[in-house]
Amino acid sequence: MVSTPSAPSTHLDSRQYLPPTNFEGPLSPNQQLLPLTATATDHHHLSVGGCDVVNLVQQFGTPLYILDDHTLRTACRQYRQGFERYYPGEALVLYASKAWSCMAVCAIVTAEGLGIDVVSAGELLTATEAGALPENIYFHGNNKSFEELTLAVEVGCRIVVDNWLELKTLGEIATQAGKAVPILLRVTPGIECHTHEYIRTGHLDSKFGFDPDQIEAVFEFLAGQPQLHCLGVHAHIGSQIFELNPHTDLGAVMAQWVVTAQRYGLALTELDVGGGLGIRYTEGDDPPSIDTWVKTVCESVVAACEARGIALPRLLCEPGRSLIGPACVTAYRVGSQKEIPGLRTYASVDGGMSDNPRPITYQSVYRALVANRMAAPLTETVTLAGKHCESGDILIKDAALPELKSGDVVTIAATGAYNYSMASNYNRVPRPAAVLVAEGDATLIIRRETVTDLLRQDCLPETLRPKAKSI
Ligand code: LLP
């Protein structure tokens, strides 16, 4: 996940980050640093979705999440077409909405024929409000509340059961409601992968899912719970993964669970292999394409089912980052700068860890460009700092950039995944707006928060109210 900073250069400029125009065949969005529609205008401005980023920030302010409709839809289509090409059975791609849950994003992926993976009542209601059908919503989470489970049963979505407490509670809720509840079981596959330890979930020491040793006991329990209709099994290995091997191995592990279930009279018809495909945050990142990932998943499941003589299940996967990550950039304005001779130059922007907590949380490395001067040579090494009261609030250490002036529009690439969704109000900084750009039009999809929005949640007890000043 950590990669070296790019070196300062007198002949390279920010246009090097643009997607290639002379490429044969479709580009996989997750292999690009910038959205597929990113270009430089005649005035050397960055343009995304046909919109000049300098105009966008004038109109909508900064920081601003700029989401490219075309890149998001292309990624959705590449996943779907991959399954059509490589999987002879039925398949459904779910968008892992934890990557960015908002109504516009859920509506776009729904229109593209994807289902949605949700992990809370908030994400569930965002998906339903955006028009997702209940049967295409899969509800995950290792500690769903009683209220969330009840809501899920009411809505009629699929529930991915994570543990014994949930299984038993859900059995009771289903009996009370007098309806059969469709569930999947999340099981830890015991597959290792190389990614940051916080986002690794497939290894046995994980808070998520049933331990594989428990699976027979779970199937036995389910055999006596007709109100819980077990459709299949789910496993997720981890996130920002560049290797294909874990998914080559996963098919066999999961197909074996299907065989085990048969011994308990359960006919499982769905396999959900989770998400995890990585994206390109810097030039050093070289993830496989969406097409290659889907091919690997399909071939692994087909081979594992054939080897065990079982019918092909309905195959599901849940990408988040690789769908939405590359489709967005975040634009900031540069403010103050501090040069420490012989040591470092800091340039501060008007956002930071509150709109992108990934650098401080996972030491993630990003690339930045100056949207108002795309052709300026990258002669400087600058540390881009956020505005928060925290020394670690650094967005990019040692970024290769042109000499910066205050007011420059610095834009960070690949911020669609786990930025807005993990944003906070640290230091009482309101969260940014988001716009959707498509064919030269920009539409607000998330209103900029205001300090008034934040204050609205505060309750000031009568006894603490400031007294009128006596003169
Ligand atoms: N399915 C399940 C059950 C998951 O837990 C996740 C991610 C996904 C699907 C989607 O994985 P993706 O395709 O996005 O890799 N906040 C971290 C990432 C946490 C991932 C959590 N689970 C980050 O910013 O890197």
Side-chain angles (χ1 to χ4, degrees), residues 51-72:
C51 297
D52 184 324
V53 169
V54 177
N55 294 342
L56 289 178
V57 299
Q58 268 159 11
Q59 191 181 347
F60 296 98
T62 49
L64 184 65
Y65 298 113
I66 301 168
L67 178 64
D68 182 39
D69 183 77
H70 174 73
T71 305
L72 174 56

Side-chain angles (χ1 to χ4, degrees), residues 7-230:
S9 156
T10 47
H11 58 275
L12 286 178
D13 61 50
S14 299
R15 291 174 298 186
Q16 67 176 303
Y17 302 133
L18 295 171
T21 47
N22 56 353
F23 191 78
E24 299 271 322
L27 295 172
S28 190
N30 71 317
Q31 295 181 316
Q32 299 302 313
L33 272 178
L34 286 168
L36 299 179
T37 59
T39 54
T41 66
D42 295 345
H43 297 100
H44 303 307
H45 289 181
L46 174 65
S47 161
V48 180
C51 297
D52 184 324
V53 169
V54 177
N55 294 342
L56 289 178
V57 299
Q58 268 159 11
Q59 191 181 347
F60 296 98
T62 49
L64 184 65
Y65 298 113
I66 301 168
L67 178 64
D68 182 39
D69 183 77
H70 174 73
T71 305
L72 174 56
R73 287 181 191 270
T74 302
C76 293
R77 286 173 199 175
Q78 290 185 0
Y79 268 104
R80 281 195 57 187
Q81 287 160 3
F83 281 98
E84 279 161 20
R85 194 170 303 137
Y86 304 116
Y87 195 64
E90 205 190 317
L92 179 65
V93 179
L94 307 174
Y95 166 58
S97 67
K98 70 208 78 182
W100 186 345
S101 173
C102 70
M103 284 178 24
V105 169
C106 287
I108 293 172
V109 300
T110 301
E112 289 298 328
L114 272 60
I116 301 189
D117 143 9
V118 301
V119 294
S120 66
E123 288 184 2
L124 172 57
L125 293 175
T126 306
T128 54
E129 285 292 304
L133 295 177
E135 62 266 33
N136 290 339
I137 301 177
Y138 285 66
F139 194 165
H140 287 272
N142 64 307
N143 196 20
K144 304 176 193 80
S145 67
F146 184 82
E147 290 73 20
E148 284 175 321
L149 289 172
T150 308
L151 175 70
V153 170
E154 261 169 44
V155 167
C157 64
R158 314 270 205 243
I159 302 173
V160 185
V161 177
D162 191 274
N163 53 63
W164 278 109
L165 174 67
E166 189 177 309
L167 196 58
K168 290 178 180 165
T169 311
L170 199 55
E172 286 159 22
I173 295 174
T175 307
Q176 280 285 324
K179 60 179 181 183
V181 174
I183 64 165
L184 273 76
L185 298 173
R186 178 167 185 171
V187 186
T188 321
I191 290 176
E192 301 283 336
C193 62
H194 297 106
T195 187
H196 193 286
E197 69 169 306
Y198 292 2
I199 52 178
R200 222 186 282 159
T201 43
H203 55 306
L204 291 174
D205 183 3
S206 162
K207 71 169 182 169
F208 296 106
F210 289 97
D211 190 273
D213 287 349
Q214 290 284 301
I215 198 163
E216 298 213 25
V218 176
F219 288 148
E220 192 175 1
F221 175 83
L222 278 174
Q225 302 279 313
Q227 77 283 30
L228 296 180
H229 182 201
C230 187

Side-chain angles (χ1 to χ4, degrees), residues 323-337:
L323 282 172
I324 193 87
C328 181
V329 299
T330 307
Y332 304 90
R333 288 271 187 202
V334 174
S336 62
Q337 295 195 52

